[in-house]
Structure formats: C-alpha cells, structure tokens
C-alpha cells in the first residue's frame, strides 16, 4: 500500500508559501503527531523524556534539537508561535504568559541600562507604568511623545535611543501613527521600532512589512477572541527572537500549553471575526456620531478622524474598538455605562461579546492626572470594544444608556 499525504506528520511551511493570511490562520504552524490527528494536539506536560543519558546531555548541550522542559519549549506553544509568525510575516515568534510579559521580555532581552526609549503617550496604561516606573529603576529612561507628532519623535531622539515603541491604532483614542516614517527614524538612529499590533492583528495590518522590527501582541485580546486566556507573543527576526527566547528561558514568563492551544484555535477564526468586528464598529461609530448626547467619536474609519487616510493606507480595516466623549463628565459616563444591560462592563477588549469601559478609572486609572490629560483620557470618555452581536441589538442596548442620561436630566428639572 502506498501512503501519500497521510505520511506527512509535519506540514511543510513551504507548502504554504505566498498564501494569504486567511489560509495561514487555519493551516500554518500545525505540529501533527504520529496519530495523524486533524485538529491540533495539546501537550500538557512540564518535561520531556530521553532515550538515554547521552541523549539528555545532547539536548541540554544544544547538539540535538528537541524538547527539554516546558518553561522554554513545548510543541503546543511552538505550534501557536509558528502560526502567528507566519501570519505576521516574521521569521520567528516567542509566546509569553501575557501581553505585558511580551513587552517586558522584549525590553529585558534587547535593552540595557543607559538606553533610552521613546514611547507614544497613547499606549495601554500598564505599558506606560512598565516603562515609567519599572524600566526606569533599571536605568532605561523613557520619553513619552504624541503618537502622531513626527517632529516630537524626531526632537526626542538621543544618541542613547535604542527603541521606539507604539500602539497603532492607539488605545482608546484610535490614533494612527505613520509606521513608514517611524521605521525610517528608528533605522537612521540605530534603534528598534516595536509595534503593539493588538488592535489590528495581522489580519488588518502587518507592521513588519511597514518598517517595524518587532511586533507584540496581547493574545488575550483578538487572537483568543472569546475572552478565555491571558497570553502574549513577540514576533521578529530569528536573531532578535533568540534573545527574547533566552530571556524567557531564564526568567520564565512562559505561555502554558493549554493557553497556546486555545490561541491556536482562536487564530483559525480570526480573519472572519476581524471583518465582523470592523463592520459592526463602523456602523456603530456612524450611529454614535448622530446621537445628541455624544460630543465626539474616535474611530479611524470615520471621515472625521484626523488620520483616516493614513489608516486606509496602512490597514485593510479599521478595527473593532471605538471610543466617544459624552457631553458631561465622569458622572454622565458612568450613568451611561450603568444604563446598558446586555453589553459587558469589563476592561477587556477583542472579544466576540461587546464590552464597555471607562478608561479614566480602569485601564488608564493608574496614570497621573497630568499624564491622563496629555494622553487625552478625559472623564467623559467611554470605550467600546464592538463584538459580533447583531448591530441593531447593540444599538438597542446603547440606547438604554442614552435613556439613562435623559432620565437624569428630567429628574433634575
Ligand atoms: C494594546 C494592549 N497591549 C498590551 C496589553 C497587555 O496585555 P495583557 O493583559 O495580555 O498582559 C493590553 C491589555 O489590555 C493592551 O490593550
């Protein structure tokens, strides 16, 4: 009997060369065992065995490839790494325990005391705290600049600048940075350009093709997509990822095999989910712009957005997160949020379930009042991560929030 494709335990990556991100999301990085399972296997094991003491020594000495211990290699984690690396167009990915540990591992592996970082102000609040409080303790100083003011980036460059760090689109104001310009600035100054691609995912934007050296994800968000696990990943060149892997091996902020399996499954539906998130978010953003209680909507898909054209150039969709300012202050924002009944009040984003949050007192609550003001995190700002429920039902629920505002104003008459 002749076995044909079934004999192939590993799916050679070359078979997928040139294929689209939709295909890579489903097919790349699978590690098939001798059981020839169709879905990905999961390897919940902390260590691996050897045929002999000599083989154990060869593995530990790096003379023979293979698994040793799941703090640094595990087949399920490697399968996820292979898939996301292919989708981002990077040589290699290193998975981590969370998005924050992906950022920390990148900094610990590639920066040293005395180095200088330039980071956009509009990053996730904890990223700001990591740079401002913790990296500073180890002699890495960070200058925070406006994501979109290229002159400020240029003026902040020093001879010690080793990293430019951004999120684009930013959280929660959806500002968009010009990656080509920032990538060039980084190259001209021998610095690394790092992009947190959490909001777009490789389905909507591939920063490595637009000037970035490293892409970071909080896999917790869209890569999972159903709010189940916390995880992160760093993608870049083999050389840089070997450094990140080295830090992970020594320090241990590792992704668990179970989480890797969930993320691997999440990636399979990422392209279709992202398209639904984008469609729903655009429709809601247009609707919110018409509401009398709304002062301003922030969403790169709107013509009114200052970087709408840039977003069209860099992204194939505008993403699922939007934010808006209500007329009023914290009281109105909280009243609106509390008025909704179905949408989840939670700070997570990227879920198929729509979520609503008040950034000033949650995700960005640890920023000083000055930093909040500089980052545009006002008290009347509400962020929505638009899920895949029917848009009409989302409008119905948000309308309950607007009704709560109207009830309050008539109660006060
Ligand atoms: C853009 C962005 N980057 C990084 C993180 C941190 O990720 P994690 O919560 O997985 O540590 C978050 C979390 O909300 C985020 O929104």
């Amino acid at each position: 009997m002749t076995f044909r494709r079934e004999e192939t335990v590993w799916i050679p990556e070359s078979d997928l060369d040139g294929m689209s991100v939709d295909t890579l999301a489903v097919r790349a990085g699978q590690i098939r065992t001798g059981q020839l399972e169709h879905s990905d296997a999961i390897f919940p094991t902390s260590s691996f065995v050897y045929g002999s003491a000599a083989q154990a020594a060869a593995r530990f000495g790096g003379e023979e490839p293979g698994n040793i211990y799941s703090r640094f290699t595990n087949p399920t984690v490697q399968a996820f790494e292979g898939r996301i690396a292919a989708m981002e167009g990077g040589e290699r990915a290193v998975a981590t325990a969370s998005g924050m540990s992906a950022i920390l591992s990148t900094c610990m592996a590639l920066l040293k005391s005395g180095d200088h970082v330039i980071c956009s102000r509009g990053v996730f609040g904890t990223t700001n705290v990591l740079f401002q409080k913790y990296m500073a303790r180890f002699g890495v100083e960070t200058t925070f600049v406006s994501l979109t003011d290229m002159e400020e980036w240029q003026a902040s460059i020093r001879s010690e600048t080793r990293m430019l760090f951004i999120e684009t689109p930013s959280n929660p104001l959806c500002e968009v940075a010009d990656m080509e310009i920032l990538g060039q600035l980084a190259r001209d100054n021998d610095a690394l350009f790092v992009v947190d691609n959490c909001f777009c995912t490789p389905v909507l934007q591939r920063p490595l093709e637009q000037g970035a050296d490293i892409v970071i994800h909080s896999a917790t968000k869209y890569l999972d997509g159903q709010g189940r696990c916390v995880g992160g990943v760093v993608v870049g060149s083999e050389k840089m990822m070997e450094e990140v892997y080295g830090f992970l091996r020594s320090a241990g902020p590792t992704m668990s095999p179970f989480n890797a399996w969930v993320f691997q499954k999440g990636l399979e539906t990422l392209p279709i989910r992202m398209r639904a998130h984008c469609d729903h978010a655009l429709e809601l953003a247009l609707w919110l712009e018409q509401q009398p209680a709304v002062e301003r909507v922030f969403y790169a898909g709107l013509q009114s957005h200052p970087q709408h054209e840039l977003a069209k150039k860099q992204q194939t969709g505008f993403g699922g997160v939007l934010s808006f300012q209500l007329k009023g202050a914290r009281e109105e924002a909280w009243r609106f949020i509390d008025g909704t009944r179905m949408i989840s009040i939670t700070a997570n984003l990227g879920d198929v379930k729509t979520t609503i949050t008040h950034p000033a007192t949650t995700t960005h609550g640890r920023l000083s009042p000055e930093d909040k003001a500089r980052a545009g995190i006002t008290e009347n700002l509400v962020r929505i991560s638009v899920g895949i429920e029917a848009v009409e039902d989302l409008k119905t629920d948000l309308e309950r929030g607007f009704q709560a505002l109207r009830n309050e104003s008539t109660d006060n008459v």
Side-chain angles (χ1 to χ4, degrees):
M1 185 190 285
T2 319
F3 292 96
R4 291 169 61 80
R5 289 182 2 158
E6 289 76 9
E7 269 182 316
T8 310
V9 170
W10 289 73
I11 299 171
E13 291 297 317
S14 57
D15 285 0
L16 302 174
D17 271 356
M19 292 198 179
S20 86
V21 75
D22 292 32
T23 306
L24 298 175
V26 177
R27 294 286 180 182
Q30 185 170 8
I31 294 175
R32 192 168 281 162
T33 74
Q35 298 298 327
L36 299 181
E37 67 282 354
H38 189 212
S39 178
D40 304 72
I42 176 167
F43 295 85
T45 178
S46 47
S47 68
F48 299 84
V49 295
Y50 316 102
S52 65
Q55 190 185 33
R59 289 265 174 96
F60 272 82
E63 293 121 41
E64 182 187 292
N67 293 304
I68 299 174
Y69 187 63
S70 286
R71 181 173 1 96
F72 40 102
T73 63
N74 176 282
T76 321
V77 177
Q78 283 169 334
F80 166 67
E81 290 170 339
R83 183 165 292 176
I84 187 73
M87 291 174 73
E88 284 288 3
E91 285 174 10
R92 180 172 166 189
V94 177
T96 58
S98 66
M100 288 319 303
S101 58
I103 301 174
L104 175 71
S105 302
T106 304
C107 292
M108 295 300 280
L110 301 169
L111 297 175
K112 60 179 188 326
S113 174
D115 285 350
H116 173 243
V117 174
I118 311 178
C119 180
S120 58
R121 260 181 222 115
V123 286
F124 174 55
T126 309
T127 305
N128 185 307
V129 173
L130 179 73
F131 280 118
Q132 202 166 162
K133 183 169 174 190
Y134 295 102
M135 294 312 294
R137 282 194 197 159
F138 296 92
V140 174
E141 204 188 315
T142 303
T143 304
F144 291 91
V145 299
S146 153
L147 181 68
T148 54
D149 184 345
M150 294 303 136
E151 281 170 21
E152 206 183 346
W153 283 92
Q154 178 75 59
S156 303
I157 293 276
R158 303 180 195 164
S159 54
E160 316 83 62
T161 305
R162 288 285 73 85
M163 183 185 285
L164 311 188
F165 187 101
I166 64 162
E167 276 171 35
T168 183
S170 68
N171 177 13
L173 293 180
C174 303
E175 287 182 311
V176 180
D178 193 318
M179 289 192 282
E180 221 173 283
I181 296 181
L182 289 178
Q184 193 57 51
L185 185 66
R187 278 192 297 283
D188 290 347
N189 291 281
D190 206 14
L192 294 173
F193 180 32
V194 181
V195 177
D196 182 331
N197 199 23
C198 183
F199 269 43
C200 271
T201 82
V203 174
L204 304 181
Q205 163 175 286
R206 308 222 298 174
L208 297 175
E209 291 170 0
Q210 302 190 52
D213 298 293
I214 291 178
V215 165
I216 283 181
H217 280 282
S218 165
T220 319
K221 308 296 177 320
Y222 290 106
L223 305 195
D224 173 359
Q226 292 176 61
R228 298 162 293 192
C229 293
V230 173
V233 66
V234 189
V235 190
S237 68
E238 177 62 42
K239 190 163 168 250
M240 280 188 279
M241 291 311 102
E242 185 59 24
E243 294 295 323
V244 175
Y245 167 77
F247 173 76
L248 200 86
R249 180 172 177 158
S250 305
T254 311
M255 179 178 282
S256 86
F258 176 75
N259 288 5
W261 185 83
V262 172
F263 294 133
Q264 182 80 334
K265 291 281 131 199
L267 289 179
E268 292 179 0
T269 56
L270 184 66
I272 53 171
R273 279 189 284 112
M274 287 316 289
R275 278 173 213 125
H277 285 299
C278 291
D279 292 350
H280 292 188
L282 181 60
E283 193 174 332
L284 271 194
L286 291 166
W287 179 78
L288 284 166
E289 266 195 328
Q290 309 301 317
Q291 304 306 311
V294 171
E295 201 164 86
R296 183 169 172 198
V297 182
F298 301 89
Y299 184 64
L302 295 174
Q303 302 277 352
S304 58
H305 189 282
Q307 292 99 39
H308 178 63
E309 289 306 319
L310 178 61
K312 276 205 313 209
K313 187 181 125 206
Q314 292 186 165
Q315 305 168 205
T316 57
F318 301 107
V321 177
L322 59 84
S323 60
F324 57 99
Q325 288 169 329
L326 286 161
K327 289 177 183 155
R330 179 188 296 191
E331 198 187 327
E332 282 70 23
W334 280 17
R335 186 174 300 283
F336 178 85
I337 292 170
D338 291 345
T340 61
R341 309 297 307 159
M342 176 185 75
I343 295 173
S344 318
I345 305 176
T346 176
N348 199 23
L349 60 89
D351 200 296
V352 290
K353 295 188 176 99
T354 299
T355 65
I356 191 163
T357 195
H358 182 241
T361 49
T362 59
T363 50
H364 293 68
R366 282 193 289 164
L367 298 192
S368 67
E370 301 74 43
D371 284 344
K372 271 189 218 169
R374 272 195 292 265
I377 311 297
T378 54
E379 290 289 335
N380 61 350
L381 188 74
V382 174
R383 186 193 75 189
I384 298 185
S385 167
V386 184
I388 64 170
E389 305 95 333
V391 190
E392 287 312 313
D393 297 335
L394 293 174
K395 288 181 190 167
T396 301
D397 204 42
L398 292 172
E399 179 48 36
R400 292 172 178 147
F402 288 123
Q403 188 57 48
L405 293 178
R406 287 194 290 271
N407 291 348
E408 168 64 6
S409 52
T410 41
D411 288 353
N412 285 342
V413 172

